Amino acid sequence: MEQIQDFLESKLTGKIRKGALLLQKKPSPEFEQLVYSCLKKELDTNKSWETQSELIKAAGLCNYKSIIQLIMPIVDRNEEYDMVTISTGLTFFRLQRRDLKDIEPLRAKLSTIKYSLGYGMLDAIGYDRMLLAELDIKELISHFWDFGRNRPRGYVDPRYGLAAACAGWEPAIVKPFLQHCITTGDAPLKYVAENSLKQKYVKLR
């Protein structure tokens, strides 16, 4: 814990990033104010998107609710292809939902959601193995069936988290979606979809 504090108190963005990465491995409630200060400074100076992303992810894993006011402008901008927005989508969903059955924070954004914000939110569903109601599952699959289809070459398929979460959902509901994912040609998506068809959770990237 002392090492995390030392890194987060550094003036060097690289060391701050290391502190955020360590905090993701060992989440703790005690660094909320320090992470808030680091993130505010990083966002104000815009020094490093990598450091911003790792601080935002650490805040989500540690349930630092105060961070929401810093990331709301990023959520509202809803930038199409942006790594910080991906991390923001992940953390925003984690901090705003009531429990692992609640998709309201995502549902509220469905009409406007773009690649990066959607990617992050869907990752939250998969990484946290959210167990959703049947109607919620159907709604998500319907909305995100071809999500990201027109993304630029080289960008990963944003449905990875959704396909991974399907491992814990009713097979009859998710089977057509998973079979569809397998045919897309995206190797990581194909891998999680094939395992989800077997109702098998796998370690995610």
Side-chain angles (χ1 to χ4, degrees), residues 17-85:
R17 183 162 65 250
K18 286 182 181 179
L21 287 166
L22 285 175
L23 189 55
Q24 290 174 42
K25 294 177 181 178
K26 296 181 178 180
S28 169
E30 67 182 274
F31 299 109
E32 182 165 2
Q33 186 55 53
L34 193 50
V35 168
Y36 182 97
S37 298
C38 288
L39 181 57
K40 187 177 187 306
K41 182 178 179 181
E42 288 291 330
L43 291 172
D44 288 344
T45 59
N46 202 28
K47 282 184 179 179
S48 167
W49 67 262
E50 295 100 328
T51 302
Q52 293 172 32
S53 294
E54 299 306 337
L55 285 167
I56 289 169
K57 284 189 282 188
L61 288 168
C62 294
N63 196 35
Y64 294 164
K65 301 284 189 183
S66 62
I67 299 297
I68 291 175
Q69 63 182 300
L70 294 181
I71 64 174
M72 274 309 302
I74 303 172
V75 173
D76 293 339
R77 282 197 299 272
N78 193 19
E79 192 170 334
E80 184 79 69
Y81 302 111
D82 175 65
M83 294 301 295
V84 175
T85 303

Side-chain angles (χ1 to χ4, degrees), residues 12 88 111 158 161 165:
L12 301 176
T88 295
S111 63

Side-chain angles (χ1 to χ4, degrees), residues 129 163-168 191-204:
R129 299 182 180 181
C166 288
Y191 172 72
V192 294
E194 287 176 339
N195 280 280
S196 287
L197 277 172
K198 303 172 189 175
Q199 296 179 271
K200 181 181 177 182
Y201 285 118
V202 293
K203 183 177 181 180
L204 301 181

Side-chain angles (χ1 to χ4, degrees), residues 124-187:
I125 294 174
Y127 277 87
D128 299 341
R129 299 182 180 181
M130 293 180 67
L131 298 175
L132 307 181
E134 183 176 312
L135 289 177
D136 291 339
I137 294 170
K138 290 179 177 179
E139 180 180 9
L140 291 181
I141 287 176
S142 174
H143 187 89
F144 291 105
W145 183 269
D146 279 322
F147 186 65
R149 179 180 57 184
N150 297 319
R151 67 190 184 277
R153 184 179 179 84
Y155 285 79
V156 301
D157 197 300
R159 297 169 296 174
Y160 178 85
L162 180 59
C166 288
W169 299 347
E170 176 57 45
I173 298 174
V174 302
K175 184 176 179 180
F177 172 66
L178 293 172
Q179 290 174 328
H180 173 59
C181 289
I182 289 170
T183 67
T184 62
D186 183 271

